[in-house]
Amino acid sequence: MFADIVGTEQVLTSAAAMSAHLTDWRGRYRGAAICVVRPRTTAAVAAVVRACAQAGVPMVPQGGNTSLCGAATPDAGGRAVVVSLSRMNRLRAIDPANNTMTAEAGCVLQTLQEAAAEAGRLLPLSLAAEGSCQIGGNLSTNAGGVQVLRYGNARELTLGLEVVLPSGEIWDGLRGLRKDNTGYDLKHLFIGAEGTLGIITAAVLKLFPLPLAVATAWLAIESPAVAVRLLGELQARFGPALTACELVSDVALGLVRRHIPGAHPAVSASPWHLLIEICGGGNDGALRDELGLLLAESLDCGSIKDAVLAHSGEQAKRLWALRENIGEAQKIEGLSIKHDVSLPISRLPEFVERADRALATAFPEIRIVTFGHLGDGNLHYNQSTSAAGENAAFLAAQPKVNRIVHDLVHELSGSISAEHGIGQLKREELLRYKSPVEIEMMRAIKRVLDPQGLMNPGKVL
């Protein structure tokens, strides 16, 4: 059946061929499937979906398979078909005058960034997995990354979508308009839905002028409270030119130094660190001088303990590598309990102080790895033990750890998922923190669009 649609070689059935598609990036979830189908066109995706709908076969859409919540991994039942979008990797158009690009779902994010740069434009969506994640998956999880402070999440960067609905119908909403007030904005149903309402096959994305000047600095600081105060000072001085403000604990930095080879920049030992980036017009030297002046003032008054100001693009890349390799270093270290939470920026210091204290009381041997996007209130707050070999057993404590962390997040008016989504990891947690009205609204939408419940079952709801 599928071979007639995509060709025999694009239907994977052997255990070896399917293996990489049946486990998540973290290695925590492993599922089973009838096969993996790799369509090349939107019409082929629609035909695959129609065939599955007619046969009552569940479908699991999959992009770069970099999900951190098991959203792209089938369950262990073996009844599902994995629909891989990786061959749908065509950049359909770039419109520099309209500052947009139209790309298929299987395009690797880094490839799109490079294509935009060649056209003299910036695609600002940027995250650690950008060399392998695909734009369809980014949109399905409403990915965030390091430049949300200035440009917003994937949702804010999307003008139009093309989606194959669970019925196999194709919705063509590929409009590059910034104003379109003609009823419900349907694209927002599918962005962040993790493939449970349909399969995104293409998107129109916003582009921006390339920054003429960039200044990057790494700061040694005493606490998250200092970081929040510095964020306010940076925003007052630079306004929207502040594009990134990343918080890193010394524990997180230590994992990178331990597990990621290479020449790491010399940064001062400190309980906490802040990585900041300013982008604007003019030239790099002038922007660095302006940032350097603020850092000198902060050093004089004791707000920061030390600072490293990058004087070249290569130095800036090395500073960013310290931040971007934290996830990979954690993976090498071993399993851990991961939280991707967001809070009002003003409440971040209170959350870290109270959560750290409560967890240390409940689990004296705990090690907490904290890092994330201070500028938009998103922390990656992860727990393990100091003995890596004991982490598998520590995972059994996840319900108790979650209760401490998520209850506090909820008390402080935050969210239990900032940018990684729900997947299978947080499905039950969602029921605890969403109101019954919200849950029923979500289920009502699911029933209307996917009445058979075949689209990525067991995820989100």
Side-chain angles (χ1 to χ4, degrees):
M1 173 173 58
F2 297 132
D4 294 335
I5 300 171
V6 300
T8 304
E9 67 279 7
Q10 303 305 334
V11 181
L12 311 181
T13 57
S14 72
M18 290 196 295
S19 177
H21 297 273
L22 302 181
T23 188
D24 71 312
W25 182 82
R26 290 172 57 196
R28 183 163 185 182
Y29 296 104
R30 175 167 290 278
I34 297 170
C35 62
V36 177
V37 183
R38 304 174 68 236
R40 177 66 185 86
T41 65
T42 301
V45 174
V48 168
V49 171
R50 283 195 299 272
C52 288
Q54 291 167 6
V57 173
M59 294 157 274
V60 178
Q62 190 175 94
N65 201 20
T66 59
S67 167
L68 296 178
C69 294
T73 306
D75 63 24
R79 294 184 56 250
V81 168
V82 175
V83 183
S84 170
L85 282 299
S86 59
R87 294 179 67 234
M88 289 198 65
N89 57 7
R90 186 166 60 97
L91 176 58
R92 294 185 185 177
I94 292 184
D95 186 345
N98 195 45
N99 279 312
T100 56
M101 64 165 38
T102 304
E104 292 182 340
C107 290
V108 172
L109 177 56
Q110 183 175 321
T111 301
L112 294 181
Q113 294 169 342
E114 293 168 353
E118 289 176 7
R121 296 293 183 268
L122 170 71
L123 176 62
L125 186 62
S126 179
L127 49 148
E130 62 194 27
S132 55
C133 66
Q134 296 170 14
I135 194 65
N138 297 148
L139 299 179
S140 291
T141 56
N142 188 28
V146 297
Q147 299 202 77
V148 172
L149 171 61
R150 168 64 179 85
Y151 298 102
N153 289 321
R155 187 182 300 279
E156 284 73 41
L157 297 173
T158 306
L159 294 175
L161 289 182
E162 177 186 82
V163 180
V164 174
L165 303 176
S167 63
E169 297 172 284
I170 300 170
W171 171 52
D172 183 357
L174 291 175
R175 290 181 286 275
L177 302 175
R178 285 155 179 86
K179 289 186 175 181
D180 182 4
N181 199 12
T182 54
Y184 303 136
D185 196 343
L186 296 175
K187 66 178 178 289
H188 291 301
L189 285 174
F190 303 98
I191 300 171
E194 302 183 46
T196 62
L197 301 178
I199 301 178
I200 295 172
T201 50
V204 180
L205 305 170
K206 292 181 187 178
L207 303 179
F208 298 83
L210 281 170
L212 298 177
V214 180
T216 307
W218 185 280
L219 317 181
I221 60 174
E222 190 62 37
S223 68
V226 172
V228 170
R229 187 167 67 249
L230 283 169
L231 171 64
E233 293 173 4
L234 288 161
Q235 289 176 316
R237 180 75 69 94
F238 295 100
L242 178 65
T243 55
C245 188
E246 299 289 300
L247 182 68
V248 178
S249 71
D250 194 53
V251 176
L253 179 60
L255 291 180
V256 175
R257 292 191 180 282
R258 182 184 310 161
H259 293 297
I260 305 299
H264 298 297
V267 297
S268 296
S270 181
W272 294 90
H273 306 267
L274 207 59
L275 175 61
I276 60 175
E277 190 161 272
I278 316 291
C279 295
N283 61 72
D284 288 346
L287 194 60
R288 278 198 301 269
D289 289 345
E290 188 176 358
L291 178 57
L293 180 62
L294 183 144
L295 296 181
E297 295 169 358
S298 299
L299 282 166
D300 288 343
C301 72
S303 293
I304 62 177
K305 300 166 63 177
D306 196 7
V308 176
L309 181 60
H311 287 277
S312 69
E314 182 57 35
Q315 289 179 347
K317 286 180 182 178
R318 291 176 61 201
L319 291 176
W320 270 108
L322 293 177
R323 163 63 182 88
E324 292 173 340
N325 281 314
I326 294 173
E328 182 64 28
Q330 281 192 289
K331 184 180 180 181
I332 295 170
E333 177 78 2
L335 295 172
S336 61
I337 297 173
K338 296 185 182 296
H339 298 94
D340 161 50
V341 301
S342 64
L343 297 113
I345 294 170
S346 58
R347 317 282 315 250
L348 280 174
E350 179 185 355
F351 167 78
V352 171
E353 191 275 329
R354 289 178 59 186
D356 280 7
R357 185 174 67 246
L359 288 169
T361 300
F363 305 97
E365 300 301 317
I366 201 167
R367 177 180 59 190
I368 301 174
V369 176
T370 307
F371 63 102
H373 317 299
L374 177 74
D376 53 66
N378 175 196
L379 284 184
H380 302 303
Y381 189 71
N382 306 330
Q383 295 78 37
S384 61
T385 64
S386 55
E390 298 176 5
N391 286 334
F394 178 65
L395 287 180
Q398 178 152 357
K400 185 176 180 180
V401 174
N402 283 351
R403 198 59 57 244
I404 292 171
V405 174
H406 289 164
D407 278 1
L408 180 56
V409 167
H410 188 66
E411 177 189 332
L412 298 177
S413 301
S415 168
I416 65 168
S417 180
E419 62 180 3
H420 291 166
I422 298 299
Q424 21 187 333
L425 179 65
K426 301 178 185 177
R427 186 181 58 199
E428 300 305 317
E429 291 290 281
L430 196 67
L431 297 175
R432 181 177 177 88
Y433 301 105
K434 286 278 191 185
S435 72
V437 171
E438 289 177 291
I439 293 295
E440 179 51 34
M441 289 169 66
M442 293 170 65
R443 285 177 170 155
I445 293 169
K446 174 74 169 174
R447 286 194 297 268
V448 169
L449 290 178
D450 184 20
Q452 295 187 81
L454 298 178
M455 195 60 69
N456 210 10
K459 316 299 170 49
V460 183
L461 293 171

